[in-house]
């Protein structure tokens, strides 16, 4: 069963096609991986799917609904969440405030004045406990380590209860112990019903965690399938591993 599908997705910057006619299907309820060499179009693909940039051609379908040119907030409300390659948090807000801003129904001024929905506070604390950073709720985000900020960003994304979560290099810049924790969290969340698409350069993480792997080269998929099949594909060895 397909969760998200793109048909002929294309985006050019100047004369360069960053994404070139990409047709992709994500398996619903699975951990999907997206790999490829630098410049192969992975992050541009993410940005199109989540409404950060508009494609020149093609469509994005989420559960058979066309979301191609909808703004990011509507795509988020449809059930798609994402993290970024460079972690995005509000550095001068506390950890708890970062969580509440992600789903705030009142203005930031009201939030900072202490007007908080009790249910949302409890939900925020639930996700902070899941990440193992509940003891940091009163710390300013800028005082967290980079790895802790990564966990905070993921927790904030989960505040919106997305069905599909896109992770852009979750292992980037973090230590092996945290990579193991993130891998465990993704597996647990997937077992609870969430679908994932993970862009990652850490091949051991991708091959060990993902059920289905899609390989991009020059803006389009060149191979896909279970990790055991993809890792032996000659096209992947040539494009990604340089063999």
């Amino acid at each position: 069963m397909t969760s998200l599908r793109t048909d002929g997705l294309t985006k050019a910057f100047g004369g360069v096609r960053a994404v070139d006619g990409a047709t992709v299907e994500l398996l619903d309820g699975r951990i999907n991986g997206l790999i490829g060499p630098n410049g192969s179009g992975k992050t541009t693909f993410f940005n199109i799917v989540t409404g950060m940039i508009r494609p020149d051609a093609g469509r994005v379908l989420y559960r058979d609904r066309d979301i191609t040119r909808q703004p990011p907030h509507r795509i988020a409300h449809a059930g798609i969440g994402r993290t970024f390659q460079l972690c995005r948090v509000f550095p001068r807000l506390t950890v708890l405030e970062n969580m509440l801003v992600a789903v705030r129904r009142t203005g930031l001024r009201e939030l900072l004045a202490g007007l908080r929905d009790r249910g949302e506070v409890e939900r925020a604390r639930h996700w902070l406990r899941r990440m193992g950073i509940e003891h940091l709720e009163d710390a300013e985000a800028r005082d967290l380590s980079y790895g802790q900020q990564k966990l905070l960003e993921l927790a904030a994304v989960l505040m919106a209860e997305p069905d599909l979560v896109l992770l852009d290099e979750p292992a980037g810049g973090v230590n092996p112990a945290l990579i193991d924790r993130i891998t465990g969290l993704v597996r647990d969340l997937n077992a609870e019903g969430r679908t994932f698409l993970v862009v990652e350069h850490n091949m051991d993480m991708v091959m060990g965690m993902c059920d289905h792997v899609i390989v991009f080269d020059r803006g389009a998929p060149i191979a896909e399938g279970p990790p055991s099949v993809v890792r032996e594909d000659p096209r992947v060895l040539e494009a990604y591993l340089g063999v």
Side-chain angles (χ1 to χ4, degrees), residues 42-54 82 84:
K42 304 182 299 297
T43 296
T44 301
F45 178 82
F46 256 41
N47 288 337
I48 294 172
V49 168
T50 55
M52 304 295 291
I53 58 178
R54 292 190 172 190
R82 74 165 291 180
F84 290 83

Side-chain angles (χ1 to χ4, degrees), residues 47-173:
N47 288 337
I48 294 172
V49 168
T50 55
M52 304 295 291
I53 58 178
R54 292 190 172 190
D56 299 325
R59 297 189 304 162
V60 180
L61 301 173
Y62 180 60
R63 302 199 182 283
D64 296 324
R65 175 185 171 190
D66 193 332
I67 61 168
T68 308
R69 287 174 173 79
Q70 292 190 9
H73 71 276
R74 288 191 179 176
I75 292 174
H77 289 159
I80 301 176
R82 74 165 291 180
T83 64
F84 290 83
Q85 185 175 347
L86 297 177
C87 187
R88 293 190 180 186
V89 296
F90 295 95
R92 293 183 179 273
L93 297 185
T94 69
V95 166
L96 184 60
E97 288 166 348
N98 267 272
M99 296 291 290
L100 299 176
V101 162
V103 291
R104 71 179 187 270
R105 297 174 184 173
T106 59
L108 183 58
R109 181 179 299 175
E110 288 79 5
L111 173 64
L112 297 177
L115 299 177
R116 300 171 177 178
D117 181 279
R118 182 176 298 179
E120 289 181 353
V121 169
E122 289 307 309
R123 189 150 51 92
R125 286 174 173 155
H126 162 77
W127 286 117
L128 292 176
R129 284 193 297 272
R130 290 289 300 269
M131 300 297 126
I133 56 173
E134 70 277 10
H135 60 292
L136 298 170
E137 72 168 61
D138 293 325
E140 290 189 357
R142 61 181 174 175
D143 294 329
L144 273 57
S145 70
Y146 188 68
Q148 290 168 336
Q149 289 183 12
K150 285 252 187 182
L151 293 171
L152 172 58
E153 183 185 35
L154 176 56
V157 167
L158 292 168
M159 278 291 285
E161 301 290 348
D163 295 318
L164 170 62
V165 181
L166 282 61
L167 303 179
D168 196 351
E169 296 195 25

